[in-house]
Amino acid sequence: MSITTTHSFTFLSLKQHFPKLNATITSVGSSKRRTNFVKTIAFSANSLDGIEKSSKDLKSFKTDKNMSLKIFCDRMSQPSRAIIIFCKVNKIDFEEVTIDIFKNQQQSPEYKAINPMAQVPAILDGDFSLFESHAILIYLSCKFPGVASHWYPSDLIERAKVHSVLDWHHGNLRRGSVGVLVSTIFEPLKGIPSSPQAIEEAEKALAKSLSVIEEYWLKDGPFLVGRSQPSIADLNLVCEVMELELLDKKQHERILSPFKKVVKWVEDTRSATAPYFDEVHEKLFKSKIGFQEILQHYLETNVKV
């Protein structure tokens, strides 16, 4: 596929999800400048063929008979990244099957046969399918004997502590982080006017969760619940915090900088899972350029969102 064709295909996919994008790109000016702008917002990690590849992957996910474990995911998804990093760090062989959430591939009949909830991630291990990221990480920790013990401790009390963080995660940190991103990025890109009140409420919810991590979950050690090495809870929650990388630099710093322990904990988890952490987050880092470029252009041209 040529570069021109691929960028057109990427643009059509973006325009489908962000209806005001067409007006924004048209307003950029010359054809050359529009082409450069489209290149900037082609936010697939493999910007020239990622979308086409994901479609092929979805249609052929049952073809590799030699690979028992298949992970259905999108690296734009924070729990998807946690599972991929976990498998890479622990040398678990798997086949990664991209489910492009920006093309709604999670709604396809083929994928719903694996995860009827139509969300990522999910796994297929032989004939056994499983969804929900916390359950998947627990399953993988118990299934594969080579997994380091610190990820999911065998001691009942230590394991219960890890479970307490996982149970807390979805109703607190996830709610706050997703609320901020939806209010400041995803709704404006879909043409929904920004609500200062919604943004303020989402940031308050997120700040409350970050305070709990700072003052309670990290009070006894460098990792959650006083552990000296990361557990599956650390990996899940850090990948959640990393989703805030999509925000502009000023907003990102304003939200996170007051929480010194949280910032260090993210870096410690990053170091403990190197080099896979940055590798798996590469798509997120590249996507930030596209999202912020669009939002900035709206601002500069006074396009109402």
Side-chain angles (χ1 to χ4, degrees):
M1 181 177 284
S2 69
I3 292 179
T4 303
T5 303
T6 307
H7 280 142
S8 298
F9 187 68
T10 303
F11 168 63
L12 289 174
S13 176
L14 291 172
K15 188 171 75 170
Q16 176 184 354
H17 295 283
F18 307 122
K20 287 201 172 184
L21 186 57
N22 190 30
T24 301
I25 291 180
T26 302
S27 70
V28 170
S30 68
S31 175
K32 183 176 180 180
R33 289 185 65 195
R34 285 197 297 270
T35 299
N36 289 334
F37 188 67
V38 171
K39 288 180 181 179
T40 302
I41 62 175
F43 55 77
S44 172
N46 300 307
S47 58
L48 298 182
D49 63 359
I51 291 177
E52 181 188 41
K53 179 178 181 295
S54 66
S55 299
K56 290 180 179 178
D57 283 349
L58 182 60
K59 293 177 182 177
S60 62
F61 66 78
K62 290 185 178 179
T63 59
D64 189 348
K65 303 297 183 182
N66 297 319
M67 189 68 68
S68 175
L69 178 64
K70 295 178 174 62
I71 301 176
F72 301 86
C73 57
D74 186 327
R75 293 191 182 196
M76 285 299 292
S77 151
Q78 47 272 52
S80 291
R81 294 194 299 271
I83 291 170
I84 297 170
I85 293 168
F86 177 85
C87 288
K88 285 179 174 287
V89 168
N90 288 289
K91 311 301 181 187
I92 298 173
D93 290 333
F94 67 96
E95 178 186 354
E96 181 178 348
V97 183
T98 301
I99 304 297
D100 193 328
I101 57 179
F102 286 100
K103 292 189 70 181
N104 287 322
Q105 287 185 344
Q106 70 274 21
Q107 298 293 340
S108 71
E110 295 91 345
Y111 184 64
K112 282 187 174 181
I114 296 167
N115 184 359
M117 302 298 111
Q119 295 177 329
V120 292
I123 65 169
L124 190 63
D125 188 18
D127 295 328
F128 174 61
S129 61
L130 182 66
F131 50 91
E132 294 297 335
S133 60
H134 297 170
I136 291 170
L137 285 169
I138 291 170
Y139 172 80
L140 295 175
S141 297
C142 297
K143 167 72 183 290
F144 293 93
V147 173
S149 61
H150 63 84
W151 289 110
Y152 191 60
S154 57
D155 180 83
L156 180 60
I157 292 177
E158 294 302 312
R159 181 174 289 189
K161 290 179 182 179
V162 170
H163 277 265
S164 69
V165 182
L166 294 175
D167 288 347
W168 175 85
H169 171 209
H170 278 147
N172 295 276
L173 180 62
R174 164 61 62 87
R175 184 170 65 88
S177 66
V178 170
V180 169
L181 291 168
V182 167
S183 298
T184 59
I185 295 178
F186 296 113
E187 285 187 344
L189 289 178
K190 290 184 177 181
I192 301 173
S194 297
S195 167
Q197 181 180 353
I199 294 174
E200 182 181 358
E201 290 177 356
E203 287 195 10
K204 284 183 179 178
L206 177 57
K208 182 178 179 180
S209 292
L210 292 172
S211 293
V212 172
I213 296 173
E214 180 98 353
E215 298 169 10
Y216 182 71
W217 296 124
L218 289 174
K219 68 183 177 67
D220 295 323
F223 295 101
L224 300 176
V225 294
R227 300 192 61 77
S228 60
Q229 292 179 287
S231 72
I232 58 174
D234 292 276
L235 193 52
N236 240 310
L237 271 65
V238 165
C239 285
E240 189 76 59
V241 173
M242 286 299 295
E243 198 77 357
L244 299 174
E245 289 288 330
L246 292 175
L247 301 172
D248 67 64
K249 184 177 180 180
K250 184 177 180 180
Q251 187 180 18
H252 183 270
E253 184 175 350
R254 175 173 56 79
I255 290 174
L256 279 182
S257 61
F259 304 100
K260 307 301 182 186
K261 284 186 180 180
V262 170
V263 172
K264 186 177 187 307
W265 162 66
V266 171
E267 288 307 311
D268 287 345
T269 304
R270 186 180 206 156
S271 297
T273 55
Y276 307 110
F277 191 93
D278 284 345
E279 172 196 324
V280 175
H281 279 86
E282 183 180 4
K283 182 175 182 178
L284 181 76
F285 298 146
K286 289 185 176 181
S287 298
K288 177 177 182 173
I289 299 173
F291 286 131
Q292 292 305 322
E293 185 77 15
I294 298 169
L295 292 173
Q296 182 63 30
H297 191 73
Y298 278 143
L299 183 63
E300 291 175 352
T301 56
N302 295 315
V303 176
K304 294 182 180 181
V305 297

